[in-house]
Amino acid sequence: MIKIAKNELRNLFFSPVAWFLLIMFLIMCGYFYTGIMYPLAKETDHLIRQDPNWIYLPTLSITANIFQPFFAALLPNMYLFVPLLTMSVVSREFNNGTIKLLYSCPITLNRIVLGKYLAMMIYNFAVMLVLGIFIVSGAFDIKSLDYPPLLSAILGFYLLLCSLTAIGFFMSSLTTYPIVSAIASFTVLFILMTIGGLWQQYDLVRDLTWFLSVRDRTEKMMVGLITTKDVIYYLVIMYMFVGFTILKLKAGRETKPAYIKTIRHVTVVASGLLIGYISSRPGFIGYWDTTALKTNTLHPRTQKILREMRDSTLEVTLYVNLLDHNTPGQWLPKTRNIYMDIWEPYIRYKPNITLKYEYYYDLLPGDSSYYKQFPGKTLRQIAGLMAKGYQVNAAIFKSPEEMHKLTDLKQEAYVMVMQLKYKGRTTFLRFLPSQTGMNFDEGSTEPNIIASLARLTGVKMPRVAFVSGELERNIYKRGEREYNMHAIGNNGDQTYIKRIALTNLGFDVDTLNLAAQDIPGDLAILVLADPKMELSPAVLDKLRAYIVKGGNMLILGEPGKQYVLNPLLQSLGVRLAGGQLVQPNHDETADLVSTYWTRNYLNLAEEYEFLLWKHLLDHKVQAYPPVIRLRGITTIDHVIDSGFTIRPLLMTASGKAWLKAGRLVADSVAPVFKHEEGDLNGDAFPVAVQLTRQRPSKEQRIVVYGDADIASNTGLITDLVYSIYSWLDYNEFPAYTNVPYARDNRVTITPGRAAGQKIIYIWVLPGILLVSGAVLLLRRRRK
């Protein structure tokens, strides 16, 4: 078998085809690699000239940022090389008459075929060595290159190439004409590379086409995730098509009934599918995340909850409305395999997750958009026409009457939603699982899922109460100054608004009218946001008693209404200063003031933005925290010692703002500082402060803000607001899911060296390979 493999390799390298393929692959790799590296080298050089300590975002892996687009560009072109490589592997033996010599040798047919295929695998390894050139280059071009995910990608490419070669190998055995074999191989490989997205709307075909797709599994390895399911899949493809080749050649040497031949082929197919099926079952899949940052793995906090839930099944039911305006035509049966892949990181740690699907059609009362689009049609008829347009069977969609018997989704506005059920407890999950290693305000829904899973396991969720009764900011109203967006998130149907709402991040939110209600003893956070009426003695007494008992509070005030909050604040040792902070500016009105967070603010929570700036400050990078421009704010004075430790969170820019006493007319001429009228100048003014003191069982925490618009529907600054809630809840919720800092956070290559690489990889190395191949072929021809 080894001798046959050696002979096959001689035939390959003593023909121009193998050299041509290697040269073209090298040129293609060089083109894609330098096309990514050269612009990045120029950008880095420019930034380093400004700051020698400059780095990319600490959690951004430059290895992934460069090589994932590089591999993604190569992947669609891999099947183009195989037909030329395999078109004459078997047919050449028949055309040259050497097949008779092989058959007469004291060697089995299996070893003949395996020897030839071994040669193809060795050649594929040589192709992977070309990829290795660029990994070695990356080691010199990138600081602390992350090698394991690159080796994972090479493994994926090698398995893919060997699988495609096995298919082309079989095609070569079907005909004695190499051109016919190449065309057939090209056609079959093209189909298998693209079939994963075909006919996904049909239940009987969906799983088959998804299984036959040879491309999707390589994409996981390209990002550094190796699974036994994907590796075994490629091995099964090799086994099946090499087996078909053996059976085809064996059929030409012996006379057997048709049913015997059929049984042999069915046995190969059945055994391959059985192995593939068993290896893809949850609980039988092994995972290896090769990335240094574990970006393909759920956060340890999520893993812990899922492992605790292994004792019972988690049922996830997806409800999809055919007439949903937000996701028209999405998450219908054709996307079911994509939906299952989305849940795979969670199934990895909890195999007994069952996914169910309910499809229906319904509209909110007063929604006439579809009736205008289809005049004279009933809701059922409209659903039928929409289903026809989406090429899906209308019979799978339940009517409003049928859905109302199952569950009431009116509160969810009939949009896409999932219901999670575990041990009799249920909760709604309003967002699909998304990218790991990010926070909720960056696009990840993992913090939302952590909150939902915690509810299912019986974790006592922190209660947040917003004081009402004195015209405070309202969590149920959608006006620009109200708090609906960040509190309960039903301000429209926007997914982002819902995702960042406290109710979807693990908090139980409600209002509390202190004129008629007492403050519950199990309250986690009490929010008093910009009351416009003076607090009655009864309300003040309740608030003061809550503070004396050690309750945590968030207090937000506005200029002009300091007299409402100061009676309460003075018991804490602070007060809202009279007047309003101003910062005269040529381009803006004077009430717009620039502020900056302090190191105390950065220490509140694991906000990604905070971790970034702490990292930059620790590494002495010349970077300035972003300017936070607030309109209509006042400062906070420290008046007496009340036992609280007071630290500033947000400060105005040094020497730029001053406190304007009295009433400010913002849209008139710029104000002028007048000390005699009570105006106050200073270095910097605190706009937000944190107060802490130690109580017998915990540390009491209070935050006071001189601006209530920072949490409003139109003025919400997510990282500033949610970090406060996290700190007040002792950093339990929201659940932050940041990844560690990346070591490979900078390229070290200069623009000049990158330009030189372009010449070497696209011209010099291919030229050397061309000359070497030409010399070898000429010497062979001479002999």
Side-chain angles (χ1 to χ4, degrees):
M1 188 171 68
I2 299 298
K3 289 182 178 179
I4 290 174
K6 289 181 179 178
N7 185 67
E8 192 62 37
L9 287 172
R10 288 194 200 96
N11 288 329
L12 277 175
F13 285 101
F14 288 151
S15 70
V17 174
W19 293 97
F20 171 77
L21 293 179
L22 281 177
I23 292 169
M24 291 305 300
F25 186 69
L26 176 57
I27 293 174
M28 188 169 66
C29 290
Y31 175 78
F32 290 135
Y33 181 81
T34 57
I36 297 170
M37 185 61 74
Y38 181 65
L40 197 59
K42 291 181 64 177
E43 178 189 9
T44 303
D45 181 70
H46 172 71
L47 294 169
I48 289 178
R49 288 178 186 274
Q50 297 178 355
D51 179 8
N53 294 319
W54 178 87
I55 59 172
Y56 278 94
L57 299 179
T59 57
L60 176 65
S61 168
I62 296 298
T63 303
N65 202 40
I66 292 175
F67 278 96
Q68 286 182 14
F70 170 64
F71 292 139
L74 290 176
L75 182 60
N77 302 298
M78 295 303 293
Y79 75 96
L80 299 175
F81 295 90
V82 173
L84 294 177
L85 180 66
T86 61
M87 63 182 182
S88 59
V89 174
V90 178
S91 59
R92 181 179 59 247
E93 305 293 347
F94 287 97
N95 293 331
N96 294 339
T98 52
I99 191 66
K100 296 179 180 179
L101 293 175
L102 282 174
Y103 283 166
S104 62
C105 290
I107 183 174
T108 63
L109 181 61
N110 292 0
R111 293 193 176 183
I112 294 174
V113 174
L114 292 176
K116 285 181 168 291
Y117 186 67
L118 177 61
M120 298 295 100
M121 295 181 69
I122 294 173
Y123 180 83
N124 292 339
F125 184 76
V127 174
M128 293 302 103
L129 291 179
V130 173
L131 275 179
I133 294 174
F134 297 92
I135 293 180
V136 173
S137 178
F140 293 96
D141 300 341
I142 301 172
K143 173 192 172 186
S144 304
L145 182 72
D146 191 8
Y147 292 97
L150 303 183
L151 299 179
S152 167
I154 287 185
L155 173 63
F157 273 102
Y158 182 68
L159 292 174
L160 173 65
L161 201 54
C162 288
S163 300
L164 299 180
T165 303
I167 297 170
F169 190 36
F170 172 62
M171 292 297 162
S172 177
S173 70
L174 298 178
T175 176
T176 58
Y177 299 100
I179 299 300
V180 175
S181 171
I183 294 173
S185 297
F186 178 84
T187 304
V188 172
L189 296 179
F190 176 78
I191 292 173
L192 292 177
M193 289 288 285
T194 58
I195 198 171
L198 300 178
W199 307 302
Q200 293 296 293
Q201 66 269 33
Y202 304 112
D203 291 338
L204 295 177
V205 184
R206 182 191 309 115
D207 292 338
L208 178 61
T209 56
W210 191 263
F211 175 79
L212 290 175
S213 175
V214 298
R215 172 179 174 174
D216 299 327
R217 292 158 177 81
T218 306
E219 292 175 348
K220 292 181 182 178
M221 297 189 194
M222 281 168 41
V223 298
L225 180 63
I226 301 175
T227 68
T228 55
K229 174 182 68 175
D230 296 334
V231 173
I232 292 174
Y233 169 83
Y234 285 122
L235 295 178
V236 166
I237 293 294
M238 297 179 216
Y239 155 74
M240 289 175 60
F241 282 93
V242 172
F244 292 156
T245 306
I246 293 173
L247 294 179
K248 173 62 177 65
L249 296 179
K250 186 175 291 186
R253 296 184 62 189
E254 57 186 18
T255 303
K256 293 287 185 181
Y259 74 90
I260 295 293
K261 298 178 181 179
T262 302
I263 290 174
R264 289 175 174 175
H265 282 83
V266 169
T267 301
V268 172
V269 173
S271 58
L273 293 178
L274 179 63
I275 294 171
Y277 176 80
I278 294 174
S279 65
S280 64
R281 293 302 87 198
F284 291 91
I285 305 174
Y287 296 86
W288 183 18
D289 186 356
T290 61
T291 61
L293 302 182
K294 302 303 175 187
T295 52
N296 302 303
T297 304
L298 296 177
H299 193 270
R301 187 169 179 177
T302 314
Q303 296 178 33
K304 181 175 181 293
I305 295 177
L306 290 172
R307 289 193 176 103
E308 291 173 353
M309 299 174 67
R310 283 197 171 194
D311 58 337
S312 184
T313 300
L314 172 63
E315 183 181 292
V316 182
T317 304
L318 174 68
Y319 292 98
V320 179
N321 184 5
L322 178 64
L323 306 180
D324 183 0
H325 295 289
N326 293 335
T327 55
Q330 297 183 29
W331 308 116
L332 296 174
K334 64 181 179 181
T335 59
R336 192 171 291 180
N337 282 315
I338 298 175
Y339 175 74
M340 293 171 65
D341 274 358
I342 288 174
W343 275 101
E344 186 176 359
Y346 296 83
I347 297 175
R348 170 181 175 182
Y349 295 99
K350 182 173 172 55
N352 55 343
I353 294 179
T354 59
L355 304 178
K356 296 185 176 182
Y357 311 88
E358 291 290 350
Y359 303 99
Y360 69 101
Y361 60 90
D362 207 343
L363 291 173
L364 285 171
D367 186 351
S368 60
S369 56
Y370 280 104
Y371 292 106
K372 293 177 180 179
Q373 185 178 349
F374 301 96
K377 300 293 184 182
T378 65
L379 187 61
R380 184 181 185 87
Q381 290 171 333
I382 292 173
L385 292 172
M386 294 295 294
K388 184 177 180 181
Y390 292 133
Q391 297 181 345
V392 62
N393 184 6
I396 69 172
F397 295 94
K398 288 183 169 61
S399 66
E401 295 74 22
E402 292 174 313
M403 277 303 298
H404 292 164
K405 295 177 182 178
L406 293 178
T407 185
D408 183 14
L409 297 177
K410 184 178 180 180
Q411 295 297 322
E412 302 298 325
Y414 299 128
V415 298
M416 188 281 296
V417 69
M418 289 162 288
Q419 186 182 56
L420 278 55
K421 185 176 182 180
Y422 173 77
K423 289 186 174 180
R425 301 188 186 97
T426 61
T427 187
F428 281 112
L429 178 63
R430 299 166 180 88
F431 326 96
L432 291 167
S434 62
Q435 183 179 351
T436 58
M438 300 172 67
N439 280 329
F440 55 90
D441 54 348
E442 301 173 275
S444 175
T445 59
E446 192 174 351
N448 303 107
I449 295 176
I450 290 175
S452 296
L453 296 177
R455 291 184 188 276
L456 292 176
T457 55
V459 172
K460 183 177 175 55
M461 311 308 289
R463 295 182 61 190
V464 180
F466 288 78
V467 176
S468 64
E470 287 78 24
L471 301 180
E472 292 88 353
R473 303 292 176 102
N474 195 302
I475 66 172
Y476 299 109
K477 292 183 178 180
R478 302 182 181 182
E480 62 180 23
R481 292 170 60 83
E482 309 302 340
Y483 280 11
N484 175 279
M485 181 173 167
H486 93 268
I488 59 177
N490 65 353
N491 189 351
D493 297 326
Q494 300 179 42
T495 302
Y496 174 74
I497 292 176
K498 291 184 176 182
R499 189 176 71 243
I500 64 173
L502 292 177
T503 53
N504 292 319
L505 290 170
F507 294 92
D508 290 334
V509 178
D510 203 350
T511 57
L512 190 64
N513 188 338
L514 295 183
Q517 298 171 278
D518 293 327
I519 301 177
D522 61 346
L523 195 65
I525 304 170
L526 183 65
V527 181
L528 180 59
D530 189 24
K532 300 174 183 61
M533 297 169 53
E534 290 190 46
L535 305 176
S536 66
V539 171
L540 273 174
D541 289 342
K542 290 180 181 180
L543 290 172
R544 287 168 178 159
Y546 174 76
I547 293 172
V548 169
K549 292 179 181 178
N552 294 349
M553 281 194 73
L554 171 59
I555 305 172
L556 305 101
E558 282 282 305
K561 295 185 285 291
Q562 291 94 328
Y563 67 93
V564 178
L565 287 176
N566 278 342
L568 175 66
L569 293 177
Q570 287 174 350
S571 64
L572 302 175
V574 298
R575 71 180 181 91
L576 296 178
Q580 179 174 338
L581 288 172
V582 295
Q583 183 178 324
N585 185 284
H586 179 269
D587 300 312
E588 295 285 352
T589 55
D591 61 338
L592 186 65
V593 180
S594 299
T595 63
Y596 300 87
W597 54 48
T598 66
R599 188 68 180 237
N600 298 320
Y601 218 134
L602 301 182
N603 292 331
L604 288 182
E606 295 180 353
E607 280 283 351
Y608 172 77
E609 192 81 4
F610 294 177
L611 295 178
L612 164 63
W613 286 104
K614 286 168 65 176
H615 181 82
L616 295 177
L617 292 173
D618 291 342
H619 288 75
K620 300 180 180 180
V621 177
Q622 295 178 13
Y624 300 96
V627 177
I628 303 163
R629 309 183 79 182
L630 303 177
R631 191 181 298 277
I633 62 176
T634 188
T635 186
I636 301 166
D637 292 335
H638 184 190
V639 290
I640 60 171
D641 184 7
S642 60
F644 283 95
T645 300
I646 304 173
R647 300 183 182 90
L649 295 177
L650 208 62
M651 301 288 292
T652 62
S654 178
K656 291 188 177 181
W658 46 277
L659 187 65
K660 171 67 177 175
R663 182 172 177 269
L664 172 69
V665 181
D667 58 351
S668 182
V669 295
V672 178
F673 180 82
K674 296 180 179 180
H675 181 72
E676 62 276 10
E677 294 183 2
D679 293 352
L680 182 64
N681 205 347
D683 182 34
F685 294 91
V687 178
V689 296
Q690 65 176 161
L691 295 84
T692 59
R693 68 177 175 183
Q694 193 62 43
R695 307 304 290 170
S697 59
K698 64 177 183 179
E699 180 184 67
Q700 184 178 10
R701 299 179 175 185
I702 297 175
V703 172
V704 180
Y705 244 103
D707 176 33
D709 291 332
I710 198 170
S712 66
N713 291 336
T714 56
L716 178 64
I717 303 178
T718 55
D719 47 4
L720 297 189
V721 172
Y722 292 103
S723 59
I724 292 174
Y725 283 107
S726 176
W727 182 71
L728 292 174
D729 188 42
Y730 304 100
N731 302 113
E732 287 296 320
F733 292 97
Y736 291 95
T737 54
N738 291 300
V739 298
Y741 292 143
R743 296 180 59 198
D744 53 329
N745 53 21
R746 184 169 170 175
V747 296
T748 57
I749 187 172
T750 63
R753 206 170 91 209
Q757 280 186 352
K758 199 167 188 176
I759 297 173
I760 292 173
Y761 291 148
I762 297 180
W763 298 101
V764 176
L765 286 183
I768 293 174
L769 204 57
L770 177 63
V771 171
S772 301
V775 170
L776 185 64
L777 292 174
L778 288 174
R779 291 183 62 185
R780 173 67 176 175
R781 184 183 294 273
R782 193 177 302 157
K783 290 182 179 180

